[in-house]
Amino acid sequence: MTSFPVLDLTPDELLTTTRTVRKRLDLTRDVPIELVRECLEIALQAPSGSNRQGWQWMVVTDRRLRAQLGEIYREEVEKYLGSRASAAKLFSGDPHRAPVQRRVGDSVAWLGEHMGEVPVLLIPCIRGSVELPGGNQAGLWGSLLPAVWSYSLAARARGLGTAWTTLHLEREAEVAELLGIPQGFHQGALMPTAYFTGETFKPAPREPIESVLHIDKW
């Protein structure tokens, strides 16, 4: 049973309104660690390959550590936004999608400047060999990422916003040393977590299902 208020959302409303939250993260309000634990307890109900449950969850609340992680993330965001892969540059020739992508890029830039100020930073980790396996890694990450998404859903239902970020992984070893993450555990994301502002979450525009659905044959 939850000890924190839960929003009155149907399963479909929860699934279609859990957005990436960047600019609307409330940097001024502390998040109780008990609330984070509650979200993680729900996340632990997610499936994992062979029921190994090889995940570990690094929760960072220390101001100094958050600032150091934030600086690493800021530097990687700066490189990313200057690259051809930048979200702001995608679909530049599409008059409908280009403005959306520019807003996404602006939002990424904002989070790059403020990641270290977010009250809770979560790094989900998965146990594996020291060197990641070659070829298809779906089995490894499929044993972690469903739980990370469950965490985001549980957080949304309790008035918290999250953003799924991975740019810090360019310096994964440096982050592991900073936080004491042992060898053999691979980081899957960096999830800023905070109360969100406003109540205007809604389904996002997506391409028509017909453009991505294949039945029986591609």
Side-chain angles (χ1 to χ4, degrees):
M1 296 292 292
T2 180
S3 56
F4 293 91
V6 177
L7 300 178
D8 184 19
L9 299 170
T10 68
D12 285 359
E13 288 171 332
L14 177 62
L15 289 166
T16 58
T17 63
T18 300
R19 306 259 67 87
T20 293
V21 184
R22 300 186 186 96
K23 288 185 174 182
R24 290 171 61 178
L25 294 170
D26 189 342
L27 306 181
T28 67
R29 187 177 175 187
D30 291 336
V31 176
I33 192 64
E34 294 82 6
L35 178 52
V36 177
R37 288 176 61 97
E38 187 170 290
C39 294
L40 285 173
E41 285 176 353
I42 292 171
L44 296 187
Q45 292 297 315
S48 63
S50 300
N51 195 34
R52 283 191 175 89
Q53 303 175 54
W55 44 50
Q56 295 287 322
W57 305 85
M58 187 80 226
V59 178
V60 183
T61 61
D62 178 82
R63 185 182 300 273
R64 179 183 60 84
L65 291 174
R66 286 188 286 121
Q68 289 176 274
L69 281 174
E71 181 59 18
I72 290 171
Y73 186 74
R74 186 196 65 77
E75 291 173 0
E76 293 306 313
V77 164
E78 186 175 326
K79 290 192 289 186
Y80 164 73
L81 291 177
S83 74
R84 295 175 61 185
S86 167
K89 299 174 184 176
L90 294 178
F91 307 105
S92 58
D94 186 326
H96 299 290
R97 297 193 65 174
V100 175
Q101 293 304 128
R102 286 194 292 270
R103 290 197 297 272
V104 171
D106 182 60
S107 179
V108 170
W110 186 92
L111 185 58
E113 293 297 324
H114 296 281
M115 179 69 88
E117 302 169 49
V118 180
V120 173
L121 301 179
L122 171 73
I123 299 180
C125 303
I126 188 74
R127 185 192 300 274
S129 58
V130 174
E131 295 295 329
L132 287 173
N136 195 324
Q137 297 179 10
L140 176 68
W141 298 114
S143 292
L144 176 66
L145 302 190
V148 182
W149 182 234
S150 290
Y151 170 81
S152 290
L153 293 170
R156 159 81 174 119
R158 287 158 177 77
L160 298 175
T162 62
W164 195 310
T165 79
T166 56
L167 290 176
H168 84 288
L169 293 175
E170 291 292 326
R171 293 159 68 176
E172 182 179 12
E174 183 179 345
V175 171
E177 182 177 1
L178 175 66
L179 301 176
I181 298 172
Q183 281 198 340
F185 284 95
H186 302 286
Q187 300 165 44
L190 171 60
M191 307 284 291
T193 303
Y195 285 102
F196 56 72
T197 61
E199 290 293 343
T200 57
F201 293 108
K202 58 185 178 181
R206 292 292 186 258
E207 293 298 303
I209 185 66
E210 291 79 8
S211 67
V212 296
L213 175 64
H214 311 277
I215 300 177
D216 294 331
K217 189 175 182 180
W218 193 288

